[in-house]
Structures are given as C-alpha cells and as structure tokens.
Amino acid sequence: MIAIGVPAEGKDEPRIGITPETVKKLVKSGAEVTVRSGAGLRSHFSDQDYADAGAKIAKTDEEAVGKADVVFSVRRPPLGLVKAMKKGAALIGMLDPFSDAEGLDAMGKTGVALFAMELMPRITRAQSMDVLSSQSNLAGYKAVADAAAAFERALPMMMTAAGTVPAAKVFVMGVGVAGLQAIATARRLGAIVTATDVRPAVKEQVASLGAKFIAVEDEEFKQAETSGGYAKEMSDAYKKKQAALIADHVKNQDIVITTALIPGRPAPKLISKAMIESMRPGSIIVDLAAERGGNAELTKPGEIAEHKGVRIFGLLNLPGQVPVNASSLYARNLQAFLDPFIDKEKKVLAIDWEDELAQGTAIARDGAIVNAMVAERLGGKGASGAKAATKSASAKSAPAKSAPSRSAAKAKAPAKKNGGTRKPKGGKTT
Ligand code: NAD
C-alpha cells in the first residue's frame, strides 16, 4: 500500500495539493491518503469531504507525513517537516527550484526525493501535469476580474435611455497562457481588447478571441520565437520601436494587463513612468510579471501602487486568490504526475528514474542534488552538489533571488538534455 501524506500549507498559501476528487482516484489506484486536519479549508474542502472520499485525517503535519511514501505540497515545506518524512520518500510540489539552493540542499540531505513541478517538461504527455499552465490560466482570469472590480466604470458598452456607456478598453501585453485567458475574460466582459506580443505565432490566437493584435511586425519580430516556443530578448532598436508604438496605444487604454516574460531574464520593462502618466486617472495596470520585477516601471511587487490616479496592481500569487479552482487543477496535476509511478498490481510506489518527467523534475535523490542548475547555484558548497546529474530539469530560468515559484520556473536556462523543452515531440500543443 502506498501512503500519501498532505500537510497544511503556510499561512500565505490558500491552495492545497489534494482534493476529495483526487483522493478518490489515488485510493482507487491503491494508495492510502492522510490529510492534515483543516488543510483544505481555505479551498473549502472540509475534513469530512476528505474522509468521505476515503482519506484519513491527521491531527498534526508530522502525523500526516511521518509514514508517507509520497508527500504532496503546494509550496516548499519547512525543513523540520521534511526531516519528519521517511528516508527515500518523495516530496512533490512547487519547490521553487531556483531560490535558496542551500535550503533545497538541506532538504535533499534528509534522503527525501524532491520533485519540483515547475520543472515539468512541456511535452504532450506532460500537459495534464503542467502546473505553470494550470495556475497561469487562473492568474490571467483573476487579473482581469480584479481590474474590473476596482475599475470605477463598466466594461461593456451599455445603451440606455439616459445615454450610452462606452465599452472599456483593455490592452493585454504578453500573450502566453495567462495573456490568452486575460483576453478571453476581458472579451466576455464586453471590453474592447487589444493585445501585443513579440512572438508572431500569437497573432492568430489573439484574433480568434476577438481581440486586435498590435505589434512592431518587422524582420526581427518574425524571428522572435525560440524553437521552444518562448520569446527572445529583443534588440535595443526593436525595443525603441516597440516603446513608441506602446506609448501611443497605452494612453488611450483603461486597463492594461501585463504578463510578458522571457526565460532567463528579468521581466522586460514595457510600461514607463511617462506612459503611466499619459493614462487617464482611474486607469488600472495589473502587472502579472510583478514576481520577476514587473513589466511596469512603477510596479511594487506585493502591493497596489498609485501614481497620478493610475493604480498599478503588483499583487503576487493570483492563483492563490482563486484557491478552489487552483487547488483542483493543481491536485489533478500532481495526481497525473504520480499515477504512472504507482504499480497498480503490487500497489507500491515505482518511480521510473529513467523517465523524462522524473528526470526533468527531480531535484534530489538519495541525499544528493541531481539537478544541474541547483548544483551550479550551490557552487560546489553543497556536499551533494558534486553528484549533480546533467539529466536534470527541462528548466527554464534563474530568477531574482527571492522570487516565488512562478518566477523560479523561468530562470536561467542550463545546458542540458531537455533544455527548456516547450514543443512536444509530436508538435506544439498549446
Ligand atoms: P511566458 O509566461 O514565458 O511569457 C508570457 C508571454 O510574454 C509570452 O507569450 C512571450 O512571448 C511574451 N513576451 C515576452 N517578451 C515580450 C515583450 N517584450 N513584449 C511583449 N510580449 C512579450 O509564456 P507562457 O505562458 O509560459 O507560454 C509560452 C509558450 O509556451 C506559448 O507559446 C504557450 O502556448 C506555450 N506552452 C506550451 C505548453 C505545452 O506544450 N505543454 C504548455 C504551456 C505553454
């Protein structure tokens, strides 16, 4: 019997890595699930819901994880809790793989196998396990919902006997997973939506959502997408042309949602102070790139800043503000990842360490760091660093030191086998 344990998250994290739905699936696959009492409450899953689905309820975190072969977490748990786990057990979560390498090394030295879900290779088989996509999608939605709630005017056009209320203008910068959902949400609310990106591939997607694409479409733009589907850092000449175009456009916008990221780089600065000053008082910018420094010059990560009547939302962990859905999707991501590693006949954990997904996400095994980038960040300081495998991580980037998980997953690209794979073997999937 495989034992799965789920502790409570810290006070700043409302999500949880298991839901009654995934408990049922895991129990059916031969697992025994133990959930810490109250751990699901902020996602509105009660102890009774878990018990009804077949889980045991533990009084403490230590009791939840102590006998577990696998522990599911959202964030990196405290070291003390990892020490309470069995040697050889697996901890699977968003472990923020590029921050605090020493902390990861200490966790790895306990003998617990560490898997960082942010490093999931973006291949077809792993789509159901892609936590960046499942969470970014909700972030894109929440960014527009927050902006609409704070905006002191209506988004849709309304024709009334007393006159016409004009539709609000929403501009989405960066059309990846979050940006596409932001466009779709703003369109549903009746706004006039425009969007920009440096990757030509998104032009059609923007149009198909009923929005207008705006970009400097020169020769450089045509080459701006990497083979992995990411954006490249653009030249200074391009940035200048882009800034002029954006400056002209932004001054007429009511709401700007920015999501632009480039793997291995800080978030590109796309909205200058002068552009913010050109916007009408009451306008709103929601900067989803806040965790990586922000796309707007005046973004304050974790805060709502105000400058001459324009509010700039730099709030972090937007998926955590839609915890019911975020937990449901995240729990499915975890269950989908673990499922192939459960021997259904013998009902035991059978991690295939040769599997691309296990290799891509593994940070530590048998007391040693097995991720080349984490080892590199340890700079040989970690005893286990020397053993770092080159097979590690499909990973993306090295973030700002304190950046939370989303950013972490986009950090410095290492030289490695799967390096930043975005396109599945059978072609791009999203
Ligand atoms: P991301 O979070 O890395 O970046 C967000 C967007 O910002 C990207 O579209 C990028 O092109 C854009 N951007 C960067 N610099 C910019 C600039 N200066 N100006 C304007 N825009 C800029 O992106 P993401 O959401 O992770 O998605 C990246 C790609 O990966 C997309 O093509 C997406 O469809 C693809 N994807 C594939 C899979 C899969 O195959 N399993 C899963 C998820 C996403």
Side-chain angles (χ1 to χ4, degrees):
M1 188 69 90
I2 303 172
I4 297 175
V6 185
E9 294 293 321
K11 66 173 174 35
D12 295 332
E13 182 49 77
R15 293 169 290 178
I16 180 167
I18 201 154
T19 58
E21 180 202 353
T22 59
V23 168
K24 275 188 200 156
K25 287 186 185 164
L26 291 161
V27 167
K28 210 172 156 196
S29 304
E32 185 183 277
V33 180
T34 307
V35 181
R36 158 75 198 267
S37 173
L41 281 178
R42 283 176 289 174
S43 293
H44 302 298
F45 300 121
S46 68
D47 288 354
Q48 193 59 50
D49 294 335
Y50 285 111
D52 290 346
K56 288 185 177 172
I57 306 299
K59 287 204 181 78
T60 63
D61 286 332
E62 285 72 17
E63 190 189 326
V65 307
K67 289 183 184 148
D69 301 301
V70 176
V71 168
F72 285 158
S73 72
V74 178
R75 303 262 173 179
R76 226 191 253 192
L79 180 61
L81 195 60
V82 182
K83 284 184 176 160
M85 288 173 62
K86 286 193 308 193
K87 229 180 173 166
L91 171 64
I92 307 174
M94 291 192 280
L95 301 185
D96 201 2
F98 301 100
S99 302
D100 182 23
E102 283 79 10
L104 281 174
D105 194 40
M107 278 167 60
K109 279 180 180 144
T110 62
V112 166
L114 305 177
F115 292 94
M117 290 296 285
E118 300 99 315
L119 300 180
M120 190 63 67
R122 278 182 151 175
I123 60 173
T124 306
R125 184 162 66 91
Q127 265 190 307
S128 59
M129 312 165 197
D130 189 339
V131 298
L132 293 184
S133 291
S134 73
Q135 305 301 295
S136 296
N137 190 41
L138 288 166
Y141 155 78
K142 191 69 169 84
V144 175
D146 281 356
F151 192 49
E152 286 116 344
R153 290 187 274 154
L155 264 68
M157 185 181 81
M158 295 177 201
M159 293 171 85
T160 76
T164 301
V165 173
K169 291 182 183 150
V170 174
F171 182 38
V172 177
M173 304 187 73
V175 190
V177 177
L180 281 172
Q181 186 54 252
I183 295 171
T185 305
R187 287 286 302 137
R188 284 183 206 119
L189 289 172
I192 297 169
V193 183
T194 48
T196 189
D197 202 294
V198 289
R199 293 181 301 116
V202 306
K203 195 174 170 176
E204 254 179 57
Q205 297 168 3
V206 169
S208 73
L209 288 170
K212 190 173 168 216
F213 187 65
I214 289 174
V216 176
E217 299 187 44
D218 62 5
E219 281 307 309
E220 187 176 348
F221 170 82
K222 289 177 190 152
Q223 317 291 327
E225 180 158 334
T226 64
S227 58
Y230 280 114
K232 283 182 187 161
E233 173 87 36
M234 305 304 275
S235 70
D236 286 346
Y238 184 92
K239 283 182 192 165
K240 223 170 157 183
K241 283 192 269 182
Q242 188 189 30
L245 180 80
I246 301 302
D248 200 44
H249 189 63
V250 157
K251 65 175 188 245
N252 296 315
Q253 301 303 309
D254 297 303
I255 294 171
V256 178
I257 311 284
T258 69
T259 78
L261 293 171
I262 308 158
R265 316 281 310 171
K269 284 278 177 275
L270 302 176
I271 309 263
S272 65
K273 188 175 167 195
M275 289 183 205
I276 294 169
E277 286 174 353
S278 78
M279 295 176 79
R280 272 177 306 192
S283 303
I284 290 175
I285 297 170
V286 180
D287 193 342
L288 284 184
E291 291 181 4
R292 292 270 297 281
N295 293 137
E297 196 179 334
L298 301 180
T299 297
K300 290 189 184 151
E303 290 178 33
I304 299 173
E306 183 156 357
H307 183 70
K308 299 198 172 165
V310 177
R311 274 164 295 166
I312 306 133
F313 286 56
L315 301 180
L316 309 172
N317 193 9
L318 285 197
Q321 291 181 30
V322 202
V324 180
N325 302 119
S327 297
S328 296
L329 298 182
Y330 180 66
R332 283 185 208 146
N333 292 146
L334 294 182
Q335 186 265 330
F337 176 59
L338 184 66
D339 187 68
F341 299 139
I342 296 179
D343 182 327
K344 312 277 182 327
E345 273 178 24
K346 294 184 187 144
K347 297 194 189 309
V348 291
L349 184 65
I351 295 173
D352 175 3
W353 289 96
E354 293 305 309
D355 182 87
E356 189 179 1
L357 306 185
Q359 285 185 357
T361 52
I363 297 281
R365 180 186 178 188
D366 296 335
I369 295 291
V370 294
N371 176 289
M373 284 173 295
V374 177
E376 193 185 308
R377 287 173 75 89
L378 286 168
K381 272 184 279 164
S384 46
K387 281 181 83 176
T390 50
K391 287 172 179 175
S392 64
S394 72
K396 301 156 199 168
S397 47
K401 268 185 193 154
S402 59
S405 55
R406 164 80 178 145
S407 41
K410 304 225 167 201
K412 185 165 69 186
K416 50 137 196 22
K417 207 171 79 176
N418 298 333
T421 307
R422 276 295 178 123
K423 285 189 177 170
K425 281 169 193 157
K428 203 165 170 182
T429 54
T430 55

PDB file of all heavy atoms in Angstrom, residues 61 76 85 128 134 146 171 180 190 227 231 237 251-252 255 277 341 346 348 356 367 427:
ATOM      1  N   ASP A  61       0.810  17.969  11.225  1.00  0.00           N
ATOM      2  CA  ASP A  61       1.523  17.810   9.951  1.00  0.00           C
ATOM      3  C   ASP A  61       2.463  16.601  10.023  1.00  0.00           C
ATOM      4  O   ASP A  61       2.579  15.837   9.070  1.00  0.00           O
ATOM      5  CB  ASP A  61       2.347  19.069   9.640  1.00  0.00           C
ATOM      6  CG  ASP A  61       1.468  20.220   9.196  1.00  0.00           C
ATOM      7  OD1 ASP A  61       0.382  19.959   8.629  1.00  0.00           O
ATOM      8  OD2 ASP A  61       1.862  21.383   9.421  1.00  0.00           O
ATOM      9  N   ARG A  76       7.244  24.941  -0.826  1.00  0.00           N
ATOM     10  CA  ARG A  76       8.297  24.231  -0.108  1.00  0.00           C
ATOM     11  C   ARG A  76       7.931  24.137   1.374  1.00  0.00           C
ATOM     12  O   ARG A  76       7.715  25.174   2.012  1.00  0.00           O
ATOM     13  CB  ARG A  76       9.574  25.068  -0.215  1.00  0.00           C
ATOM     14  CG  ARG A  76      10.797  24.299  -0.579  1.00  0.00           C
ATOM     15  CD  ARG A  76      11.993  25.199  -0.383  1.00  0.00           C
ATOM     16  NE  ARG A  76      12.546  25.633  -1.651  1.00  0.00           N
ATOM     17  CZ  ARG A  76      13.720  26.240  -1.768  1.00  0.00           C
ATOM     18  NH1 ARG A  76      14.454  26.467  -0.697  1.00  0.00           N
ATOM     19  NH2 ARG A  76      14.167  26.619  -2.930  1.00  0.00           N
ATOM     20  N   MET A  85       9.839  13.242   7.515  1.00  0.00           N
ATOM     21  CA  MET A  85       9.455  12.253   6.497  1.00  0.00           C
ATOM     22  C   MET A  85      10.406  11.053   6.526  1.00  0.00           C
ATOM     23  O   MET A  85      11.524  11.142   7.027  1.00  0.00           O
ATOM     24  CB  MET A  85       9.486  12.894   5.087  1.00  0.00           C
ATOM     25  CG  MET A  85       8.369  13.877   4.828  1.00  0.00           C
ATOM     26  SD  MET A  85       8.553  14.747   3.232  1.00  0.00           S
ATOM     27  CE  MET A  85       8.454  13.405   2.060  1.00  0.00           C
ATOM     28  N   SER A 128      -1.101  17.421 -18.810  1.00  0.00           N
ATOM     29  CA  SER A 128      -2.021  17.349 -17.663  1.00  0.00           C
ATOM     30  C   SER A 128      -1.280  17.569 -16.344  1.00  0.00           C
ATOM     31  O   SER A 128      -1.896  17.630 -15.283  1.00  0.00           O
ATOM     32  CB  SER A 128      -2.719  15.989 -17.637  1.00  0.00           C
ATOM     33  OG  SER A 128      -1.744  14.966 -17.543  1.00  0.00           O
ATOM     34  N   SER A 134      -1.649  25.461 -15.624  1.00  0.00           N
ATOM     35  CA  SER A 134      -2.923  25.419 -14.890  1.00  0.00           C
ATOM     36  C   SER A 134      -3.063  26.649 -13.993  1.00  0.00           C
ATOM     37  O   SER A 134      -4.146  27.213 -13.865  1.00  0.00           O
ATOM     38  CB  SER A 134      -3.059  24.120 -14.084  1.00  0.00           C
ATOM     39  OG  SER A 134      -2.213  24.106 -12.956  1.00  0.00           O
ATOM     40  N   ASP A 146      -9.934  41.263 -11.102  1.00  0.00           N
ATOM     41  CA  ASP A 146      -9.505  42.276 -10.123  1.00  0.00           C
ATOM     42  C   ASP A 146      -9.607  43.675 -10.714  1.00  0.00           C
ATOM     43  O   ASP A 146     -10.080  44.615 -10.063  1.00  0.00           O
ATOM     44  CB  ASP A 146      -8.038  42.044  -9.710  1.00  0.00           C
ATOM     45  CG  ASP A 146      -7.902  40.930  -8.691  1.00  0.00           C
ATOM     46  OD1 ASP A 146      -8.941  40.391  -8.251  1.00  0.00           O
ATOM     47  OD2 ASP A 146      -6.749  40.580  -8.350  1.00  0.00           O
ATOM     48  N   PHE A 171      -5.958  46.381 -22.703  1.00  0.00           N
ATOM     49  CA  PHE A 171      -4.767  46.055 -23.502  1.00  0.00           C
ATOM     50  C   PHE A 171      -3.980  44.971 -22.763  1.00  0.00           C
ATOM     51  O   PHE A 171      -3.627  45.156 -21.586  1.00  0.00           O
ATOM     52  CB  PHE A 171      -3.923  47.324 -23.656  1.00  0.00           C
ATOM     53  CG  PHE A 171      -2.678  47.164 -24.489  1.00  0.00           C
ATOM     54  CD1 PHE A 171      -2.649  46.372 -25.629  1.00  0.00           C
ATOM     55  CD2 PHE A 171      -1.520  47.848 -24.131  1.00  0.00           C
ATOM     56  CE1 PHE A 171      -1.495  46.253 -26.396  1.00  0.00           C
ATOM     57  CE2 PHE A 171      -0.359  47.746 -24.887  1.00  0.00           C
ATOM     58  CZ  PHE A 171      -0.349  46.941 -26.023  1.00  0.00           C
ATOM     59  N   LEU A 180      -3.609  34.902 -22.811  1.00  0.00           N
ATOM     60  CA  LEU A 180      -4.759  34.419 -23.594  1.00  0.00           C
ATOM     61  C   LEU A 180      -6.017  34.378 -22.734  1.00  0.00           C
ATOM     62  O   LEU A 180      -7.096  34.771 -23.174  1.00  0.00           O
ATOM     63  CB  LEU A 180      -4.468  33.016 -24.161  1.00  0.00           C
ATOM     64  CG  LEU A 180      -3.583  32.968 -25.406  1.00  0.00           C
ATOM     65  CD1 LEU A 180      -3.210  31.524 -25.739  1.00  0.00           C
ATOM     66  CD2 LEU A 180      -4.266  33.620 -26.612  1.00  0.00           C
ATOM     67  N   GLY A 190     -17.121  42.182 -22.201  1.00  0.00           N
ATOM     68  CA  GLY A 190     -17.580  43.185 -23.159  1.00  0.00           C
ATOM     69  C   GLY A 190     -16.606  44.307 -23.448  1.00  0.00           C
ATOM     70  O   GLY A 190     -16.971  45.308 -24.072  1.00  0.00           O
ATOM     71  N   SER A 227      12.920  28.068 -30.660  1.00  0.00           N
ATOM     72  CA  SER A 227      12.404  26.764 -31.087  1.00  0.00           C
ATOM     73  C   SER A 227      11.550  26.146 -29.977  1.00  0.00           C
ATOM     74  O   SER A 227      10.704  25.311 -30.228  1.00  0.00           O
ATOM     75  CB  SER A 227      13.556  25.835 -31.449  1.00  0.00           C
ATOM     76  OG  SER A 227      14.394  25.723 -30.323  1.00  0.00           O
ATOM     77  N   ALA A 231       9.715  33.601 -25.908  1.00  0.00           N
ATOM     78  CA  ALA A 231      10.167  34.846 -26.526  1.00  0.00           C
ATOM     79  C   ALA A 231      11.675  34.996 -26.349  1.00  0.00           C
ATOM     80  O   ALA A 231      12.244  34.507 -25.374  1.00  0.00           O
ATOM     81  CB  ALA A 231       9.460  36.014 -25.849  1.00  0.00           C
ATOM     82  N   ALA A 237      17.102  48.333 -30.729  1.00  0.00           N
ATOM     83  CA  ALA A 237      16.385  49.033 -31.803  1.00  0.00           C
ATOM     84  C   ALA A 237      14.917  48.621 -31.816  1.00  0.00           C
ATOM     85  O   ALA A 237      14.010  49.457 -31.942  1.00  0.00           O
ATOM     86  CB  ALA A 237      17.046  48.718 -33.154  1.00  0.00           C
ATOM     87  N   LYS A 251      -1.856  55.260 -23.907  1.00  0.00           N
ATOM     88  CA  LYS A 251      -2.502  56.477 -23.382  1.00  0.00           C
ATOM     89  C   LYS A 251      -4.016  56.472 -23.570  1.00  0.00           C
ATOM     90  O   LYS A 251      -4.723  57.184 -22.873  1.00  0.00           O
ATOM     91  CB  LYS A 251      -1.852  57.730 -23.971  1.00  0.00           C
ATOM     92  CG  LYS A 251      -2.017  57.910 -25.448  1.00  0.00           C
ATOM     93  CD  LYS A 251      -1.411  59.261 -25.845  1.00  0.00           C
ATOM     94  CE  LYS A 251      -1.714  59.578 -27.286  1.00  0.00           C
ATOM     95  NZ  LYS A 251      -0.545  59.630 -28.139  1.00  0.00           N
ATOM     96  N   ASN A 252      -4.480  55.630 -24.461  1.00  0.00           N
ATOM     97  CA  ASN A 252      -5.933  55.558 -24.681  1.00  0.00           C
ATOM     98  C   ASN A 252      -6.579  54.350 -24.008  1.00  0.00           C
ATOM     99  O   ASN A 252      -7.743  54.034 -24.262  1.00  0.00           O
ATOM    100  CB  ASN A 252      -6.229  55.488 -26.183  1.00  0.00           C
ATOM    101  CG  ASN A 252      -5.790  56.744 -26.886  1.00  0.00           C
ATOM    102  OD1 ASN A 252      -6.051  57.840 -26.389  1.00  0.00           O
ATOM    103  ND2 ASN A 252      -5.089  56.609 -27.996  1.00  0.00           N
ATOM    104  N   ILE A 255      -7.553  49.789 -19.034  1.00  0.00           N
ATOM    105  CA  ILE A 255      -6.972  48.715 -18.219  1.00  0.00           C
ATOM    106  C   ILE A 255      -5.854  48.066 -19.024  1.00  0.00           C
ATOM    107  O   ILE A 255      -6.044  47.736 -20.202  1.00  0.00           O
ATOM    108  CB  ILE A 255      -8.047  47.650 -17.859  1.00  0.00           C
ATOM    109  CG1 ILE A 255      -9.111  48.267 -16.943  1.00  0.00           C
ATOM    110  CG2 ILE A 255      -7.412  46.409 -17.225  1.00  0.00           C
ATOM    111  CD1 ILE A 255     -10.326  47.372 -16.697  1.00  0.00           C
ATOM    112  N   GLU A 277       1.934  58.111 -16.784  1.00  0.00           N
ATOM    113  CA  GLU A 277       1.444  59.482 -16.620  1.00  0.00           C
ATOM    114  C   GLU A 277       0.556  59.913 -17.785  1.00  0.00           C
ATOM    115  O   GLU A 277      -0.250  60.826 -17.660  1.00  0.00           O
ATOM    116  CB  GLU A 277       2.639  60.436 -16.453  1.00  0.00           C
ATOM    117  CG  GLU A 277       3.249  60.266 -15.063  1.00  0.00           C
ATOM    118  CD  GLU A 277       4.532  61.059 -14.848  1.00  0.00           C
ATOM    119  OE1 GLU A 277       5.033  61.657 -15.820  1.00  0.00           O
ATOM    120  OE2 GLU A 277       5.028  61.053 -13.707  1.00  0.00           O
ATOM    121  N   PHE A 341       3.704   6.313 -11.760  1.00  0.00           N
ATOM    122  CA  PHE A 341       4.714   5.758 -10.849  1.00  0.00           C
ATOM    123  C   PHE A 341       4.091   4.874  -9.758  1.00  0.00           C
ATOM    124  O   PHE A 341       4.733   4.522  -8.780  1.00  0.00           O
ATOM    125  CB  PHE A 341       5.535   6.885 -10.207  1.00  0.00           C
ATOM    126  CG  PHE A 341       6.279   7.721 -11.215  1.00  0.00           C
ATOM    127  CD1 PHE A 341       6.344   9.098 -11.079  1.00  0.00           C
ATOM    128  CD2 PHE A 341       6.904   7.137 -12.308  1.00  0.00           C
ATOM    129  CE1 PHE A 341       7.020   9.882 -12.013  1.00  0.00           C
ATOM    130  CE2 PHE A 341       7.581   7.904 -13.243  1.00  0.00           C
ATOM    131  CZ  PHE A 341       7.635   9.274 -13.104  1.00  0.00           C
ATOM    132  N   LYS A 346       0.885  -4.342  -7.634  1.00  0.00           N
ATOM    133  CA  LYS A 346       1.531  -4.550  -6.323  1.00  0.00           C
ATOM    134  C   LYS A 346       1.162  -3.455  -5.322  1.00  0.00           C
ATOM    135  O   LYS A 346       1.470  -3.547  -4.145  1.00  0.00           O
ATOM    136  CB  LYS A 346       3.054  -4.590  -6.494  1.00  0.00           C
ATOM    137  CG  LYS A 346       3.522  -5.791  -7.301  1.00  0.00           C
ATOM    138  CD  LYS A 346       5.042  -5.832  -7.360  1.00  0.00           C
ATOM    139  CE  LYS A 346       5.512  -6.917  -8.294  1.00  0.00           C
ATOM    140  NZ  LYS A 346       6.717  -6.556  -9.035  1.00  0.00           N
ATOM    141  N   VAL A 348       2.428  -0.500  -5.002  1.00  0.00           N
ATOM    142  CA  VAL A 348       3.620   0.126  -4.399  1.00  0.00           C
ATOM    143  C   VAL A 348       4.094   1.273  -5.288  1.00  0.00           C
ATOM    144  O   VAL A 348       3.736   1.352  -6.470  1.00  0.00           O
ATOM    145  CB  VAL A 348       4.792  -0.888  -4.225  1.00  0.00           C
ATOM    146  CG1 VAL A 348       4.467  -1.920  -3.167  1.00  0.00           C
ATOM    147  CG2 VAL A 348       5.149  -1.534  -5.558  1.00  0.00           C
ATOM    148  N   GLU A 356      11.585  10.613 -18.560  1.00  0.00           N
ATOM    149  CA  GLU A 356      11.883  12.013 -18.851  1.00  0.00           C
ATOM    150  C   GLU A 356      11.245  12.981 -17.843  1.00  0.00           C
ATOM    151  O   GLU A 356      11.805  14.010 -17.500  1.00  0.00           O
ATOM    152  CB  GLU A 356      11.321  12.277 -20.251  1.00  0.00           C
ATOM    153  CG  GLU A 356      11.662  13.566 -20.871  1.00  0.00           C
ATOM    154  CD  GLU A 356      11.051  13.699 -22.270  1.00  0.00           C
ATOM    155  OE1 GLU A 356      10.346  12.768 -22.729  1.00  0.00           O
ATOM    156  OE2 GLU A 356      11.270  14.738 -22.882  1.00  0.00           O
ATOM    157  N   GLY A 367      19.835  11.700  -0.942  1.00  0.00           N
ATOM    158  CA  GLY A 367      20.716  12.623  -0.231  1.00  0.00           C
ATOM    159  C   GLY A 367      21.554  13.514  -1.130  1.00  0.00           C
ATOM    160  O   GLY A 367      22.332  14.331  -0.634  1.00  0.00           O
ATOM    161  N   GLY A 427       4.916  17.919 -31.806  1.00  0.00           N
ATOM    162  CA  GLY A 427       4.494  19.257 -32.207  1.00  0.00           C
ATOM    163  C   GLY A 427       3.977  20.031 -31.020  1.00  0.00           C
ATOM    164  O   GLY A 427       3.758  19.497 -29.943  1.00  0.00           O
TER     165      GLY A 427
END
